[in-house]
Amino acid sequence: MNASPSPQHETHRANPALARFNPLSRVLVHDDFNSGTHGWVELIGNHDEHGDLDTVDDHMRDFRPPQLSSCNFFDVGTHGAMTGTYALKVATRPLTGHTGVAIRRLTMAGRGRVQFETYFTYKAEAASEENQAAHAAGGGKWDANFHPSENQFGALTVATDICDGVRYHCVARYLNTDLDNNPVRRWVYPTVPEPTPREHFEGKLKLPRTADFTAPNPEDWQPFTPEQEFCYNEVPTKVNWHYLRWVIDTSTRTNVELQLNDVVHDMRDVPVPPYDEEYGSLENLLNFYVSVRTHSDVRNFLYLDSVLISVDW
């Protein structure tokens, strides 16, 4: 016989804004982008004590701020979000290797499981000269089902930046295509810590504008799932919302699992590389970021309908 639902569970199910999620015992953040950006901002690198933005690292100067979007397209007009009018849009420039990043800055009041949930969609630019040129260069041919722009979307990433005395990043990336726009359709993780502004300042490395800031060397990414196809739905203006749920554990500094729609991936064996050095002024840091990266001269977009972050502290 099944146990009776808890009062907290019943309250959650009775709230239409929360009922589509499956949170842990305590909701830390519920961001409904119909009411604003809720603290999601552009990730920008560190600058000097004078506020001189020219001292920001080259590859972090142009991540672009997230925007509220009603998902407008040339053929259907205003699509709207999954619920309501606005989604949070993270966009790249039409420049191979360009990345768009949005970050949510929090701190920890405890240790334990942390769960990130969202409904999202992703697209490449619907119509542009760059897109047409990319198709002509080998992006595939339209057959009334497959659309060539599906292979013009590079990657999307969900990640954290955490510090409890040890700094580390839990990261999950959906690699839609490789750097040559060939389909990959797998979840991957970085095997090295993310380069930091202090390392750049100390002259340990120098990254160009379009470097992959999470792990610059493509060989430092490894798959942890078989191929998983998303619902692109034939053309870049048909919007279908995907459910994503990602669990980490800050008490053990580990990944736990990742769910995309009806498929759950066990991440307990996916390593999380820590930094060897300590970083001051970051105690209890709990940041989340999402990013979108293009592998061609075509703008890529990531749309988040809403985000819910919950914990079991």
Side-chain angles (χ1 to χ4, degrees):
M1 182 176 179
N2 294 329
S4 298
S6 67
Q8 188 269 348
H9 180 83
E10 286 294 307
T11 301
H12 154 241
R13 293 299 184 192
N15 184 338
L18 296 177
R20 68 183 120 161
F21 295 107
N22 189 28
L24 300 177
S25 58
R26 176 179 296 168
V27 172
L28 187 63
V29 165
H30 177 217
D31 295 332
D32 180 344
F33 299 115
N34 286 297
S35 56
T37 56
H38 288 256
W40 288 89
V41 297
E42 175 186 354
L43 174 62
I44 188 169
N46 298 342
H47 44 75
D48 67 12
E49 70 273 20
H50 305 295
D52 182 1
L53 296 182
D54 288 338
T55 62
V56 174
D57 294 313
D58 289 345
H59 71 292
M60 302 183 82
R61 290 186 188 180
D62 193 29
F63 280 163
R64 317 307 305 142
Q67 299 174 308
L68 296 180
S69 172
S70 53
C71 305
N72 293 326
F73 298 102
F74 77 95
D75 51 356
V76 298
T78 300
H79 183 284
M82 179 175 167
T83 52
T85 302
Y86 295 107
L88 189 76
K89 180 178 79 172
V90 186
T92 74
R93 290 192 183 280
L95 176 66
T96 298
H98 192 267
T99 304
V101 187
I103 190 166
R104 186 71 152 90
R105 304 183 188 277
L106 303 166
T107 54
M108 293 183 284
R111 301 288 186 274
R113 288 188 302 159
V114 181
Q115 180 172 272
F116 177 94
E117 294 177 274
T118 189
Y119 283 85
F120 75 92
T121 193
Y122 69 105
K123 291 295 174 183
E125 180 110 51
S128 68
E129 293 181 4
E130 293 86 354
N131 192 263
Q132 297 301 320
H135 298 169
K141 294 183 178 181
W142 180 70
D143 64 2
N145 173 231
F146 171 81
H147 194 280
S149 66
E150 185 169 356
N151 286 346
Q152 299 306 321
F153 185 87
L156 63 89
T157 304
V158 292
T160 64
D161 186 1
I162 304 175
C163 187
D164 58 5
V166 174
R167 189 178 184 184
Y168 60 95
H169 295 260
C170 295
V171 180
R173 168 173 291 182
Y174 183 70
L175 189 62
N176 187 57
T177 61
D178 64 19
L179 299 182
D180 296 317
N181 301 114
N182 299 308
V184 176
R185 319 276 201 256
R186 298 179 75 179
W187 289 97
V188 298
Y189 71 94
T191 59
V192 297
E194 180 181 308
T196 66
R198 190 172 77 180
E199 291 174 315
H200 307 157
F201 181 75
E202 293 173 345
K204 295 179 179 178
L205 75 167
K206 180 71 173 177
L207 299 177
R209 177 187 177 191
T210 56
D212 183 348
F213 81 100
T214 304
N217 187 344
E219 296 179 357
D220 289 332
W221 291 91
Q222 293 296 321
F224 64 91
T225 70
E227 181 176 336
Q228 182 178 13
E229 186 173 329
F230 288 6
C231 182
Y232 193 79
N233 201 351
E234 302 176 317
V235 296
T237 57
K238 289 183 178 180
V239 173
N240 291 78
W241 298 94
H242 297 66
Y243 172 66
L244 183 146
R245 182 181 62 87
W246 180 41
V247 186
I248 64 174
D249 192 329
T250 59
S251 67
T252 55
R253 305 186 186 118
T254 57
N255 291 292
V256 178
E257 66 182 15
L258 174 74
Q259 178 177 351
L260 194 288
N261 290 335
D262 60 338
V263 179
V264 178
H265 302 290
D266 188 339
M267 293 188 69
R268 287 173 294 181
D269 292 330
V270 175
V272 179
Y275 289 91
D276 294 329
E277 302 176 352
E278 292 186 359
Y279 283 79
S281 73
L282 297 178
E283 188 61 28
N284 287 317
L285 183 74
L286 180 64
N287 289 350
F288 288 85
Y289 73 79
V290 296
S291 71
V292 57
R293 180 170 170 82
T294 182
H295 296 158
S296 63
D297 292 338
V298 177
R299 289 201 301 168
N300 283 192
F301 306 102
L302 174 65
Y303 299 91
L304 306 182
D305 170 76
S306 53
V307 170
L308 190 141
I309 301 171
S310 58
V311 300
D312 65 2
W313 307 333

